[in-house]
Amino acid sequence: MVVGLLGNESSDSNRLTLVTPKSENDVRLQATLDNQNPTGLPVGVVRKKVFLLKLKKILWNLLVLLIIGYVGILAYQNISQYQRFKVNGQSMNPTLKDGQKLIMKKFQKNDKLHRGDVVIIKVTLKDKEYDFIKRVIALPREHLEIKNHKVYINGKYLEDEGSTMGEEDCVIPDDSIYVMGDNRDHSLDSRKLGTMKISKVVARKVIPEKKL
């Protein structure tokens, strides 16, 4: 070890300072630390800050992925609620044309039907099941009458377009609805098939421009 003497030219000439020169490795290590840590903060503090920054970045990326996944699930659920149908026949003229393609919302167990809703309903004819598209005319527990080509619900005239063929006088069961096509003279519906179970409804489409 080399001892260096630093003399003070002041009157306090007896004060001596011992200095131990750094080795070459110490000098290189200090230079490396200075280059990597220009802030001058202790290495432990710098490492903690770097760790927190990396952790923040990881958590942020994870949050973004969770949001994207959540939005994707919502979009899938929304899309899966709808189904494509194609009109076959003239029974819903002039509202819906033969061959017209529709996107209708699937009917869920807790959904409620309203008068005027256009629905897709399963109908069995000669042991074969068909999808009928009709309009809801009467709801559960309502009294329906068809007389003199007019429809009455609970004694009140239902103002719809055109005349209605047939005669009817019935109370709709709790679990059923009464449906008809808009083209009254060319529609196979509840006037011949009777009331239909709500459980047979598979989809519905509310038509704002034609409310009953």
Side-chain angles (χ1 to χ4, degrees):
M1 179 176 67
V2 179
V3 178
L5 301 179
L6 297 180
N8 191 336
E9 294 182 356
S10 66
S11 59
D12 191 9
S13 59
N14 293 327
R15 180 177 297 173
L16 299 176
T17 302
L18 299 180
V19 179
T20 303
K22 294 181 179 180
S23 67
E24 185 175 349
N25 289 337
D26 291 339
V27 173
R28 290 177 179 175
L29 177 60
Q30 186 62 47
T32 301
L33 291 175
D34 290 341
N35 291 333
Q36 294 179 349
N37 181 20
T39 62
L41 296 173
V43 176
V45 175
V46 174
R47 287 177 178 174
K48 184 176 181 180
K49 287 181 175 295
V50 171
F51 171 77
L52 291 176
L53 287 174
K54 289 182 178 180
L55 180 61
K56 183 178 179 180
K57 185 177 181 180
I58 292 173
L59 292 176
W60 173 255
N61 291 336
L62 181 60
L63 177 61
V64 171
L65 289 175
L66 289 174
I67 292 174
I68 293 175
Y70 179 71
V71 172
I73 291 173
L74 289 180
Y76 172 77
Q77 291 178 340
N78 187 52
I79 293 174
S80 65
Q81 291 180 5
Y82 294 86
Q83 187 174 349
R84 291 180 178 272
F85 292 92
K86 183 178 180 180
V87 178
N88 183 17
Q90 308 291 335
S91 71
M92 285 299 292
N93 275 345
T95 308
L96 301 174
K97 306 295 184 181
D98 182 32
Q100 183 174 343
K101 295 180 180 179
L102 304 172
I103 297 179
M104 303 182 70
K105 188 176 181 181
K106 294 179 181 178
F107 189 75
Q108 306 296 329
K109 184 177 180 180
N110 295 327
D111 288 347
K112 291 184 178 180
L113 290 172
H114 304 86
R115 192 182 343 278
D117 284 353
V118 173
V119 298
I120 301 291
I121 190 165
K122 295 286 185 183
V123 177
T124 302
L125 299 174
K126 297 181 179 180
D127 299 327
K128 189 173 181 180
E129 198 170 57
Y130 298 88
D131 288 337
F132 275 28
I133 181 166
K134 304 296 176 184
R135 188 179 297 278
V136 177
I137 302 298
L139 299 168
R141 296 182 294 279
E142 290 186 334
H143 179 211
L144 175 135
E145 289 182 278
I146 300 177
K147 58 184 180 181
N148 301 323
H149 305 289
K150 295 181 179 180
V151 178
Y152 296 85
I153 302 294
N154 295 332
K156 295 183 179 180
Y157 172 56
L158 181 64
E159 296 182 0
D160 59 350
E161 297 179 2
S163 62
T164 300
M165 303 294 293
E167 297 288 332
E168 188 75 85
D169 187 348
C170 67
V171 175
I172 313 303
D174 290 349
D175 60 351
S176 301
I177 53 177
Y178 196 97
V179 300
M180 288 193 288
D182 287 356
N183 189 4
R184 300 283 194 260
D185 294 341
H186 300 88
S187 174
L188 178 60
D189 48 44
S190 289
R191 290 172 293 176
K192 290 187 176 181
L193 302 176
T195 58
M196 299 187 182
K197 300 286 188 182
I198 295 176
S199 60
K200 292 295 184 179
V201 175
V202 296
R204 71 171 177 173
K205 176 181 176 65
V206 179
I207 309 295
E209 66 272 14
K210 184 177 176 64
K211 295 183 177 179
L212 296 181

